[in-house]
C-alpha cells in the first residue's frame, strides 16, 4: 500500500505509531507542516485514549492508513501562532478534538455542524487538503487551523479535560439536540465507560434524572455515588429491565459492540428517542412494531461542531465537570490498549505526553 | 360456558369473517351490543380494505383471534344515537377508523392521543371496553362510542374518502409530528400503495416537493401525471438512486414487506428523518453508520388520535384529497386479498358494503 504522508514536511515531530493492524504502538519520528497563517502550533500536554483509537489501530473499520498515530482528545499549550491568528495567543491552553478541517462551504459547515460535513478531515488517519496524512495527539506537537481548536478555561484541570474533546461532546451534543437536557427529563445512559460516565455528569448538571443501564453490576456504586446517577439497571436482569419499561424520555447508547436494541426501545416512554453513538458495523434488528406502537424513534449522533464543543467546554468549566481518568505514561500505552479492549479502565486513560513522551526517544 | 359470537350480544349481526389463517373470508353470523347512552349505531355504506386486514386474517403477527371480521376504514350513516351523544344526530354521515376504545383518562387520552393509550382497543380483533371481542367493518352495521366516531365532511365522497380513516391518518399524523410540512422541503414516499399514494397527495397539499421511490417502474406515469409527484425513483435503479443520495429532508416509508433501509437512509440529507409505517412480520435491518454519520433518524408512528383524524378529514376535504379506489362487491373480497398480496391494486380496494352484503 502506498505510504501517504511520508512526503517530508519542514518540522520534525515525534510520537508513537502503529505500523500494522496488530495495533502495537512504538516510537515514531515523523514530520509536520510549517505553521500556516491561520494556524497554531500546539505543544501537546495530554491526550485521552478513546475507544476509536483502538478500533483504528486494529483496522476494524478497514480504512486505517499505517503508520498510524492516534489521539483526538488533545490538550496542549500554544507554542507558535500564524500571523492572521486572532483566537489564541502563545501560552494559551487549548484543545483539539476529532476534526481538524472541513469544507467550510456546505450547509452543515455553515450551520456550525462541521462534524456532519462529508468532507471533514479527521485529526488522525485522515487526509489533509494538501494530500498529507494527519497524525494525531500521541505526539509532541500538532499544527491546526485556529477554527478547529477550542480554548480551555483555566478552571478546568487539563488532564481530566482532555476526554471532553471527544467523549464529552459526543454526549453533550445529542442531549441538547434531542431535547433531553433539563428538568423533568429522564435520560437512560447505556454503557458506563469513557462516554457514559461523562454523560451522567452532564445530564445531572442539566437537571435531568439519569438511569445508567450497564451489563456490569459492579459499576453501580460508581454510577450512583461517584457520578450522581439516580438509578442503575443491570441490562441482563430481566426483572429490573421490565420494571423500568416505558419510563425514559430518551436513551443515549454508548455501546459500540453489537447488542439487542428491542429491550432499550421498551424502556422508552411514548415519543421517546434512542440515540446511538457506537459505530457498529453489523446492522441491528429493528422490530417496526416497537417504534410504531408508541411513536418512538432511533437516531444517530456523532461528536459535535466546533462552536458546540467550545460551549460544552465552557459548560463543563462552569459546573466543574471533568472525566474520571487514569493518567498513564506513553510507555504504558500498549498495556492500556489491552486493558481498554477488556473494558478494564475507570473510566478513561489519559497519556501524560509532556512528561513521558520525550524520554522514550532513544 | 362461553357464549357464541351469535349469542354474545342481543342484536343479530352479519358480515364476512376469516375463520383460520388461510385467511379465506366467508359469510358469518354474529351479534352486536345494544346502542348505549354514549354510542352511535352506524349502518355501513363502504369499508376500505387495508393491508392490516390481510396481515390479520393470515395471522402474520401471531395474535389473530378467529373468527376475524376485518375492516377499519368505515363510512356509513348514523341510525341511532345514545342520549348522551351530542356530536351526532341520526342521519349524519360518519366515519369509524382503526380504534374504537381507550381508557379515556390517561395522559395520552387527555392529550387526544387515544392511539397511544395502553388500553386502546381496535375496531376489530381486539377486546373492547366491555370485555368482548370487536368485529370490524366487513359487516352491515357497527356500534361505537361517540368518542371514536368522526363527522364525515361535506364534499368528501363516502367511497373514496373511506381509506382516509386509516391510510390517510397514518401518513398525515407523522408528517405533522415529525415536522414534514415546511413548503419547499423534499419528501420521499417509499412504496406507492394505499398509504403511499395518499402520502403523495397530502405532501403536495403541504407544498412539498415529492419523489416516489418504488420497485414498480410501471407506476411512474401515474405517480407523476395523476398523483402529482415531482419525480419517481425505481429502487432497483442503482445509478438513479446514487444520484439522489443526500437530497431528501424526509421519507415516509410505507412498504409493508421486509425491505432494505440502507438505500433509503442514503437518500436523506444530514438530520433527515425516515418514518417507518409498514408492519412486516420479521425485523428490518437497521444499519448504524448512516444514522451516526448524518444524525439521521428512523421513527415510527401509529395512526393518530381522534381529534387529529377529524382534522385530517377536514384538511382532505379542503384540498380535494381522496383515495384512488377500486370498488368491489363483498363476494369479491377473497380475490381482492390475493391481488392485494401482490400489490395489484391502484391503490385501495373499497367494499360497497351497503349494496353487496346481504345475509344468505
Amino acid at each position: 500500500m502506498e505510504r501517504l504522508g511520508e512526503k517530508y514536511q519542514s518540522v520534525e515531530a515525534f510520537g508513537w505509531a502503529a505500523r500494522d493492524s496488530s495495533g502495537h504502538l512504538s516510537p515514531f519520528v515523523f514530520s509536520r507542516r510549517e505553521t500556516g497563517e491561520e494556524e497554531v502550533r500546539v505543544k501537546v500536554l495530554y491526550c485521552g485514549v478513546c475507544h476509536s483509537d483502538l478500533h483504528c489501530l486494529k483496522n476494524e473499520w478497514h480504512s486505517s492508513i499505517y503508520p498510524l498515530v492516534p489521539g483526538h482528545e488533545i490538550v496542549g499549550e500554544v507554542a507558535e501562532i500564524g500571523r492572521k491568528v486572532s483566537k489564541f495567543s502563545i501560552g494559551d491552553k487549548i484543545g483539539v478534538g476529532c476534526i481538524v478541517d472541513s469544507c467550510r462551504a456546505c450547509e452543515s459547515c455553515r450551520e456550525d455542524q462541521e462534524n456532519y460535513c462529508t468532507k471533514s478531515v479527521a485529526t488522525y488517519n485522515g487526509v489533509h487538503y494538501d494530500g498529507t496524512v494527519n497524525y494525531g495527539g500521541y505526539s509532541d506537537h500538532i499544527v491546526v487551523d485556529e477554527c478547529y481548536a477550542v480554548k480551555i478555561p483555566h478552571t478546568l484541570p487539563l488532564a481530566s479535560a482532555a476526554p471532553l474533546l471527544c467523549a464529552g461532546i459526543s454526549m453533550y451534543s445529542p442531549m441538547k439536540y434531542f431535547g433531553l437536557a433539563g428538568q423533568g427529563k429522564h435520560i437512560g445512559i447505556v454503557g458506563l465507560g469513557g462516554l457514559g460516565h461523562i454523560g451522567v455528569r452532564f445530564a445531572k448538571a442539566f437537571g435531568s434524572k439519569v438511569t445508567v443501564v450497564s451489563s456490569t453490576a459492579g459499576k453501580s456504586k460508581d454510577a450512583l455515588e461517584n457520578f450522581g446517577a439516580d438509578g442503575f439497571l443491570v441490562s441482563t436482569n430481566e426483572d429490573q429491565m421490565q420494571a423500568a419499561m416505558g419510563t425514559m424520555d430518551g436513551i443515549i447508547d454508548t455501546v459500540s459492540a453489537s447488542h439487542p436494541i428491542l429491550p432499550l426501545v421498551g424502556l422508552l416512554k411514548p415519543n421517546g428517542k434512542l440515540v446511538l453513538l457506537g459505530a457498529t458495523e453489523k446492522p441491528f434488528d429493528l422490530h417496526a412494531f416497537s417504534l410504531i406502537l408508541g411513536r418512538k424513534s432511533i437516531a444517530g449522533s456523532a461528536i459535535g461542531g466546533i462552536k458546540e464543543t467550545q460551549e460544552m467546554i465552557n459548560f463543563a468549566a462552569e459546573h466543574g465537570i471533568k472525566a474520571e481518568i487514569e493518567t498513564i505514561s506513553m510507555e504504558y500505552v500498549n498495556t492500556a490498549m489491552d486493558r481498554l479492549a477488556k473494558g478494564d479502565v475507570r473510566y478513561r486513560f489519559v497519556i501524560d505526553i509532556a512528561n513521558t513522551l520525550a524520554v522514550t526517544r532513544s | 360456558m362461553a357464549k357464541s359470537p351469535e349469542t354474545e350480544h342481543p342484536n343479530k349481526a352479519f358480515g364476512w369473517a376469516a375463520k383460520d389463517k388461510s385467511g379465506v373470508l366467508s359469510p358469518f353470523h354474529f351479534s352486536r351490543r345494544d346502542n348505549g347512552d354514549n354510542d352511535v349505531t352506524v349502518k355501513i355504506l363502504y369499508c376500505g380494505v387495508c393491508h392490516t386486514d390481510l396481515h390479520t386474517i393470515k395471522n402474520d403477527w401471531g395474535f389473530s383471534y378467529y373468527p376475524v371480521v376485518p375492516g377499519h376504514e368505515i363510512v356509513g350513516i348514523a341510525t341511532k344515537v345514545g342520549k348522551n351523544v351530542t356530536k351526532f344526530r341520526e342521519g349524519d354521515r360518519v366515519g369509524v377508523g382503526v380504534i374504537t376504545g381507550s381508557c379515556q383518562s390517561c395522559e395520552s387520552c387527555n392529550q387526544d392521543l387515544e392511539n397511544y393509550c395502553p388500553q386502546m382497543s381496535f375496531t376489530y380483533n381486539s377486546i373492547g371496553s366491555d370485555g368482548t371481542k370487536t368485529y370490524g367493518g366487513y359487516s352491515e352495521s357497527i356500534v361505537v362510542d361517540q368518542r371514536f366516531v368522526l363527522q364525515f365532511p361535506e364534499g368528501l365522497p363516502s367511497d373514496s374518502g373511506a381509506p382516509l380513516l386509516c391510510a390517510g391518518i397514518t401518513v398525515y399524523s407523522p408528517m405533522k409530528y415529525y415536522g414534514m410540512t415546511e413548503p419547499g422541503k423534499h419528501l420521499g414516499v417509499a412504496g406507492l400503495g394505499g398509504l403511499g399514494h395518499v402520502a403523495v397527495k397530502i405532501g403536495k397539499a403541504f407544498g412539498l416537493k415529492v419523489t416516489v421511490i418504488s420497485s414498480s417502474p410501471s407506476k411512474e406515469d401515474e405517480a407523476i401525471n395523476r398523483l402529482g409527484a415531482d419525480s419517481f425513483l425505481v429502487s432497483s435503479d442503482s445509478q438513479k438512486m446514487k444520484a439522489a443520495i443526500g437530497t431528501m429532508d424526509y421519507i415516509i416509508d410505507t412498504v409493508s414487506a421486509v425491505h432494505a433501509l440502507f438505500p433509503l437512509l442514503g437518500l436523506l440529507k444530514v438530520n433527515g428523518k425516515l418514518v417507518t409505517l409498514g408492519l412486516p412480520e420479521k425485523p428490518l435491518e437497521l444499519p448504524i453508520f448512516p444514522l451516526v454519520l448524518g444524525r439521521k433518524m428512523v421513527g415510527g408512528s401509529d395512526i393518530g388520535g381522534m381529534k387529529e383524524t377529524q382534522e385530517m378529514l377536514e384538511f382532505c376535504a379542503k384540498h380535494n384529497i381522496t383515495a384512488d379506489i377500486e370498488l368491489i362487491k363483498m363476494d369479491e373480497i377473497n380475490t381482492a386479498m390475493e391481488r392485494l398480496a401482490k400489490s395489484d391494486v391502484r391503490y385501495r380496494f373499497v367494499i360497497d358494503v351497503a349494496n353487496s352484503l346481504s345475509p344468505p
Side-chain angles (χ1 to χ4, degrees):
Chain A
M1 182 192 199
E2 190 194 0
R3 286 156 71 98
L4 300 171
E6 293 294 318
K7 161 178 134 180
Y8 179 71
Q9 300 181 85
S10 31
V11 182
E12 193 179 84
F14 175 67
W16 277 45
R19 269 56 168 201
D20 56 45
S21 62
S22 69
H24 183 83
L25 291 147
S26 58
F28 175 60
V29 177
F30 62 106
S31 57
R32 292 202 185 269
R33 61 180 179 273
E34 293 257 9
T35 311
E37 288 183 329
E38 291 165 357
E39 294 182 322
V40 298
R41 182 176 306 277
V42 187
K43 173 177 148 66
V44 179
L45 300 174
Y46 297 98
C47 189
V49 176
C50 177
H51 210 117
S52 298
D53 300 351
L54 181 56
H55 287 308
C56 264
L57 287 170
K58 303 264 188 183
N59 198 20
E60 283 171 21
W61 296 327
H62 315 293
S63 57
S64 297
I65 305 167
Y66 297 102
L68 198 158
V69 176
H72 58 204
E73 294 184 338
I74 305 165
V75 167
E77 186 178 289
V78 177
E80 190 186 353
I81 60 174
R83 64 180 189 86
K84 287 186 180 168
V85 164
S86 56
K87 263 176 80 174
F88 305 110
S89 313
I90 292 182
D92 278 351
K93 302 294 190 285
I94 72 173
V96 178
C98 304
I99 57 175
V100 288
D101 213 335
S102 65
C103 85
R104 313 190 195 206
C106 69
E107 200 174 330
S108 292
C109 286
R110 283 184 278 117
E111 289 174 0
D112 298 315
Q113 288 173 24
E114 303 86 355
N115 46 320
Y116 297 116
C117 168
T118 51
K119 301 200 174 95
S120 65
V121 178
T123 302
Y124 68 83
N125 198 47
V127 179
H128 193 65
Y129 290 119
D130 66 4
T132 58
V133 172
N134 286 330
Y135 296 111
Y138 293 17
S139 61
D140 54 4
H141 74 273
I142 188 167
V143 179
V144 65
D145 187 297
E146 65 167 344
C147 293
Y148 297 85
V150 295
K151 215 162 194 167
I152 309 284
H154 67 274
T155 51
L156 267 183
L158 294 177
S160 50
L164 296 176
L165 291 155
C166 177
I169 186 61
S170 292
M171 298 301 289
Y172 181 92
S173 184
M175 285 187 197
K176 296 294 294 282
Y177 182 72
F178 292 104
L180 301 174
Q183 292 287 354
K185 296 290 181 181
H186 182 185
I187 302 179
I189 293 181
V190 184
L192 195 68
L195 267 63
H197 87 285
I198 295 181
V200 177
R201 287 181 164 166
F202 273 122
K204 290 311 296 172
F206 285 137
S208 309
K209 176 178 165 186
V210 180
T211 298
V212 169
V213 181
S214 169
S215 55
T216 316
K219 287 185 176 179
S220 138
K221 192 165 188 288
D222 266 347
L224 300 168
E225 293 175 19
N226 193 349
F227 307 131
D230 300 281
F232 187 92
L233 294 176
V234 179
S235 51
T236 46
N237 184 320
E238 275 188 34
D239 290 336
Q240 281 184 7
M241 292 290 280
Q242 183 81 6
M245 281 185 75
T247 59
M248 299 179 192
D249 295 285
I251 294 173
I252 313 275
D253 184 354
T254 74
V255 175
S256 54
S258 240
H259 57 289
I261 51 170
L262 188 59
L264 300 178
V265 175
L267 294 175
L268 293 170
K269 291 178 186 173
N271 304 317
K273 295 163 185 135
L274 170 62
V275 184
L276 305 174
L277 304 184
T280 319
E281 258 200 81
K282 191 162 170 272
F284 287 171
D285 273 347
L286 173 64
H287 299 257
F289 267 103
S290 66
L291 295 187
I292 285 168
L293 300 177
R295 196 162 59 181
K296 299 177 185 178
S297 42
I298 300 176
S301 182
I303 43 169
I306 305 299
K307 184 173 169 202
E308 194 174 30
T309 304
Q310 184 70 70
E311 178 191 298
M312 176 275 303
I313 293 274
N314 296 345
F315 182 88
E318 195 186 321
H319 293 269
I321 295 171
K322 50 196 170 87
E324 195 83 353
I325 65 171
E326 183 178 327
T327 311
I328 61 166
S329 68
M330 191 72 243
E331 248 185 1
Y332 190 78
V333 74
N334 288 308
T335 309
M337 287 300 178
D338 288 340
R339 286 178 53 196
L340 179 59
K342 288 179 274 184
D344 174 24
V345 55
R346 300 287 169 108
Y347 282 80
R348 200 64 153 186
F349 291 116
V350 173
I351 309 170
D352 181 354
I353 299 279
N355 294 317
T356 67
L357 174 65
V359 300
T360 66
R361 188 167 181 174
S362 51
Chain B
M1 183 162 100
K3 289 194 170 171
S4 73
E6 279 189 69
T7 56
E8 201 171 27
H9 296 291
N11 302 301
K12 284 193 180 10
F14 176 71
W16 276 46
K19 274 82 170 206
D20 57 45
K21 66 183 175 77
S22 70
V24 171
L25 293 143
S26 57
F28 173 65
H29 293 275
F30 61 109
S31 51
R32 295 242 187 237
R33 66 173 185 268
D34 277 334
N35 198 81
D37 292 340
N38 297 319
D39 286 338
V40 177
T41 298
V42 182
K43 173 181 152 59
I44 297 174
L45 300 174
Y46 297 98
C47 187
V49 177
C50 178
H51 210 118
T52 296
D53 300 350
L54 179 55
H55 282 305
T56 309
I57 59 178
K58 297 272 195 183
N59 199 20
D60 282 350
W61 300 324
F63 55 78
S64 300
Y65 299 109
Y66 296 102
V68 171
V69 175
H72 58 205
E73 294 181 340
I74 302 164
V75 178
I77 304 290
T79 54
K80 278 201 198 106
V81 299
K83 66 182 176 67
N84 294 340
V85 172
T86 49
K87 288 190 329 180
F88 306 99
R89 292 167 309 186
E90 283 177 26
D92 279 355
R93 208 160 56 107
V94 297
V96 177
V98 181
I99 60 178
T100 46
S102 73
C103 81
Q104 306 198 33
S105 59
C106 70
E107 202 178 324
S108 289
C109 286
N110 290 338
Q111 289 174 18
D112 299 310
L113 293 171
E114 300 89 345
N115 48 322
Y116 298 116
C117 167
Q119 289 174 54
M120 171 267 293
S121 55
F122 297 115
T123 301
Y124 67 84
N125 193 50
S126 209
I127 304 295
S129 320
D130 64 358
T132 64
K133 194 163 91 168
T134 55
Y135 296 105
Y138 295 15
S139 62
E140 296 174 300
S141 66
I142 189 168
V143 182
V144 182
D145 183 301
Q146 63 167 330
R147 183 164 176 157
F148 301 94
V149 180
L150 298 139
Q151 277 293 359
F152 222 66
E154 221 179 284
L156 202 57
S158 301
D159 53 358
S160 55
L164 297 174
L165 291 157
C166 178
I169 185 58
T170 298
V171 300
Y172 180 88
S173 184
M175 287 171 78
K176 295 291 296 280
Y177 178 72
Y178 288 102
M180 303 179 175
T181 56
E182 218 182 301
K185 295 282 189 183
H186 187 181
L187 169 71
V189 177
L192 197 65
L195 264 62
H197 88 289
V198 173
V200 172
K201 294 183 183 190
I202 292 180
K204 291 309 297 173
F206 279 137
L208 305 171
K209 174 180 166 184
V210 178
T211 295
V212 170
I213 306 135
S214 169
S215 56
S216 316
S218 60
K219 290 184 176 177
E220 177 165 2
D221 185 44
E222 277 202 13
I224 309 252
N225 295 319
R226 203 163 111 200
L227 300 175
D230 298 281
S231 55
F232 189 94
L233 276 178
V234 179
S235 45
S236 54
D237 185 337
S238 47
Q239 239 186 353
K240 291 238 172 81
M241 287 289 282
K242 200 166 166 205
I245 282 177
T247 58
M248 298 180 191
D249 295 283
Y250 347 95
I251 292 176
I252 294 271
D253 182 2
T254 74
V255 177
S256 53
V258 171
H259 60 287
L261 286 177
F262 183 82
L264 294 178
L265 292 173
L267 296 173
L268 289 171
K269 294 177 183 173
V270 170
N271 301 321
K273 294 173 181 144
L274 181 148
V275 179
T276 181
L277 301 174
L279 290 165
E281 65 266 30
K282 292 207 171 61
L284 298 174
E285 272 191 4
L286 180 68
I288 308 306
F289 269 93
L291 295 185
V292 171
L293 295 179
R295 195 161 59 180
K296 298 179 185 179
M297 171 191 274
V298 173
S301 182
D302 186 20
I303 40 165
M306 299 317 299
K307 186 171 170 205
E308 194 174 32
T309 307
Q310 187 68 62
E311 177 192 300
M312 175 277 305
L313 288 175
E314 313 289 346
F315 179 90
C316 288
K318 180 174 164 194
H319 292 274
N320 291 317
I321 295 172
T322 56
D324 288 13
I325 67 167
E326 185 176 326
L327 204 58
I328 60 166
K329 297 200 189 45
M330 190 73 244
D331 63 6
E332 293 172 324
I333 187 60
N334 288 309
T335 310
M337 286 298 186
E338 283 167 23
R339 286 179 52 198
L340 179 57
K342 289 181 276 183
S343 300
D344 174 23
V345 54
R346 302 285 217 261
Y347 288 92
R348 203 58 151 192
F349 291 113
V350 172
I351 307 167
D352 184 354
V353 175
N355 291 320
S356 67
L357 177 71
S358 48

